[in-house]
Amino acid sequence: MGLAHSDDEVLELVRRAGETAVEAESLEDPTRVEWTGGRPHQYEPLKLLP
């Protein structure tokens, strides 16, 4: 759906998808958010290719 670098950015993506009343705690609910490459609330900088 998109790339986010913070919980606020994830919440914005979820809101744009039409969900309402989304809170930061709901980011841990796997039925609402699918995390790839990490766990909820953990954001790592992207490693750029040389």
Side-chain angles (χ1 to χ4, degrees):
M1 171 143 192
L3 177 65
H5 298 97
S6 69
D7 284 352
D8 288 337
E9 289 181 7
V10 175
L11 291 171
E12 180 61 25
L13 288 171
V14 173
R15 285 186 190 107
R16 288 182 185 183
E19 292 288 326
T20 58
V22 180
E23 302 294 329
E25 294 80 28
S26 66
L27 298 179
E28 297 174 20
D29 181 352
T31 64
R32 298 192 101 177
V33 178
E34 179 182 343
W35 293 89
T36 51
R39 299 184 318 175
H41 314 292
Q42 292 184 339
Y43 302 92
E44 300 293 327
L46 291 176
K47 293 179 177 50
L48 301 177
L49 297 174

